[in-house]
């Protein structure tokens, strides 16, 4: 099935459009995730959402030990302050996207107004980085090991344990919520290539240890728990989801954890939408609600979730009770 039909189906919710087309919701979801590294699913399961609603979800389990089929993650950081932008990825600050090239690393003290920044050897220009699994785990956490202050934090997909997976359990039809849910509690959703669309990166904790954890040009990096994941949506996803929904919104890039579709930041002409709510959502001319990914520099793919959220489960299994999830501070 061509992607325009998938986009239209998910804009109107999976179950609603299933009644109008010969393919089942599962068939349509299978087409939508055809570029993902799927281990099992999608399948229909019972689920309990974040505010206790009991409903029907789809469950899909994807591998976190291999790269997405449509892209090669990295590079993240240059090796020397003489390196150009092709040697590194990007960093997000105050709504802007910066190339993490050698010049950027060399000027961090000036950039942040703090002389303690010194990620490189002033004699050789070589940049300090986390080059092993042990270093990655010591630095890629809220309480960064002091030994890795003034380092570029770089983790590789090879560091993720063999057989690791993530299961997404997402409502087929969104269920109304009494209050928006912050995406630092749930993540934003999952892209059509099976990569997690995460909540905001903990930038304050990263910068507080004089570390930089760059994203690649697609807005992604790696940790050993969820593998490769996105904190920003760039044209890597916008370009891959090249079908238009028919109303100028552009092709769908993912599904939010509450079941609503996620579309690119801009419309098909490249213009940003001006009527989005605090969660980055609005209704189209048919009255169907959907989200648009935040600007790449915003460190916010979605501002929040408008409806009740499903579950992200590390590993296999599809038993979802999102109401039992402890709130994050």
């Amino acid at each position: 099935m061509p992607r325009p039909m998938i986009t239209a189906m998910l804009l109107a919710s999976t179950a609603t459009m299933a009644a109008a087309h010969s393919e089942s919701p599962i068939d349509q979801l299978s087409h939508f995730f055809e570029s993902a590294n799927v281990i099992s699913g999608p399948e229909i399961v019972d689920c309990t959402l974040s505010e206790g609603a009991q409903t029907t979800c789809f469950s899909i389990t994807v591998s976190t030990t291999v790269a997405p089929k449509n892209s090669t993650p990295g590079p993240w950081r240059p090796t020397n302050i003489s390196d150009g932008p092709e040697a590194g990825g990007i960093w997000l600050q105050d709504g802007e996207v910066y190339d993490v090239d050698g010049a950027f690393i060399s000027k961090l003290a000036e950039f942040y107004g703090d002389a303690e920044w010194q990620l490189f050897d002033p004699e050789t220009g070589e940049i300090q980085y986390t080059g092993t699994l042990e270093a990655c785990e010591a630095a890629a956490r809220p309480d960064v090991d002091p030994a890795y202050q003034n380092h570029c934090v770089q983790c590789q997909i090879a560091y993720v344990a063999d057989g690791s997976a993530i299961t997404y359990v997402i409502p087929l039809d969104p269920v109304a919520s009494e209050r928006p849910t912050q995406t630092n509690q749930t993540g934003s959703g999952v892209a059509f290539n099976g990569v997690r669309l995460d909540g905001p990166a903990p930038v304050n904790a990263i910068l507080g240890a004089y570390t930089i954890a760059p994203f690649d040009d697609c807005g992604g990096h790696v940790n050993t728990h969820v593998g490769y994941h996105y904190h920003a949506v760039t044209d890597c996803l916008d370009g891959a989801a090249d079908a238009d929904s028919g109303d100028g919104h552009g092709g769908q890039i993912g599904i939010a954890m509450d079941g609503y579709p996620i579309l690119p930041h801009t419309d098909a002409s490249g213009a940003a939408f001006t009527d989005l709510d605090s969660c980055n959502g609005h209704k189209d001319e048919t009255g169907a609600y959907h989200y648009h990914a935040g600007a790449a520099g915003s460190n916010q793919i979605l501002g929040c979730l408008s409806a009740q959220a499903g579950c992200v489960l590390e590993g296999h299994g599809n038993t979802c009770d999102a109401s039992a999830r402890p709130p994050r501070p």
Side-chain angles (χ1 to χ4, degrees):
M1 184 179 67
R3 187 163 287 151
M5 188 178 294
I6 301 169
T7 302
M9 176 275 292
L10 288 163
L11 278 172
S13 87
T14 306
T16 303
M17 280 299 291
H21 295 280
S22 59
E23 287 191 309
S24 70
I26 290 302
D27 289 336
Q28 297 196 32
L29 285 162
S30 294
H31 281 293
F32 186 71
F33 289 113
E34 63 188 0
S35 63
N37 293 301
V38 177
I39 294 175
S40 63
E43 62 179 312
I44 302 296
V45 297
D46 294 329
C47 56
T48 302
L49 303 183
S50 53
E51 294 177 21
Q54 296 182 347
T55 188
T56 303
C57 289
F58 75 88
S59 171
I60 187 168
T61 301
V62 296
S63 173
T64 58
T65 62
V66 292
K69 293 179 181 178
N70 67 325
S71 66
T72 301
W76 288 280
R77 53 91 203 172
T79 60
N80 192 284
I81 60 172
S82 64
D83 291 339
E86 72 284 349
I90 58 175
W91 186 243
L92 318 175
Q93 184 69 35
D94 298 329
E96 300 294 330
V97 177
Y98 295 88
D99 282 319
V100 180
D101 55 14
F104 179 80
I105 297 296
S106 72
K107 296 177 180 177
L108 282 172
E110 177 183 345
F111 187 79
Y112 284 114
D114 186 341
E116 293 296 318
W117 283 94
Q118 185 65 48
L119 270 69
F120 64 97
D121 185 321
E123 294 185 0
T124 65
E126 294 298 308
I127 294 169
Q128 301 173 135
Y129 71 99
T130 55
T132 65
L133 169 60
E134 293 73 21
C136 159
E137 291 182 330
R141 64 190 198 194
D143 57 332
V144 177
D145 188 318
Y148 294 102
Q149 290 193 1
N150 269 308
H151 277 64
C152 264
V153 180
Q154 174 182 278
C155 301
Q156 303 283 357
I157 291 179
Y159 299 164
V160 180
D162 290 343
S164 295
I166 287 185
T167 300
Y168 299 91
V169 184
I170 297 175
L172 282 173
D173 285 302
V175 176
S177 174
E178 292 184 2
R179 59 192 177 279
T181 299
Q182 299 306 306
T183 56
N184 67 335
Q185 299 178 10
T186 61
S188 295
V190 56
F192 63 84
N193 62 0
V195 175
R196 182 174 182 173
L197 298 167
D198 216 336
V203 172
N204 289 341
I206 295 168
L207 298 178
Y210 297 101
T211 58
I212 290 287
F215 313 101
D216 62 15
D217 287 342
C218 291
H221 63 187
V222 177
N223 72 38
T224 56
H225 298 289
V226 301
Y228 181 69
H229 58 285
Y230 298 123
H231 285 289
V233 171
T234 70
D235 58 7
C236 294
L237 286 180
D238 291 1
D242 55 5
D244 196 314
S245 60
D247 59 1
H249 275 63
Q252 185 174 344
I253 61 175
I255 304 175
M257 289 307 303
D258 59 6
Y260 283 121
I262 304 175
L263 276 67
H265 175 63
T266 59
D267 66 18
S269 71
F273 295 90
T274 59
D275 62 341
L276 302 181
D277 60 26
S278 61
C279 293
N280 293 5
H282 67 174
K283 293 181 179 180
D284 66 13
E285 59 188 14
T286 71
Y289 184 85
H290 59 271
Y291 299 110
H292 289 274
S298 67
N299 189 29
Q300 181 175 276
I301 295 175
L302 298 184
C304 49
L305 297 175
S306 296
Q308 294 188 43
C311 295
V312 180
L313 309 172
E314 292 185 17
H316 302 260
N318 53 29
T319 300
C320 171
D321 183 357
S323 67
R325 178 175 48 233
R328 291 187 181 181

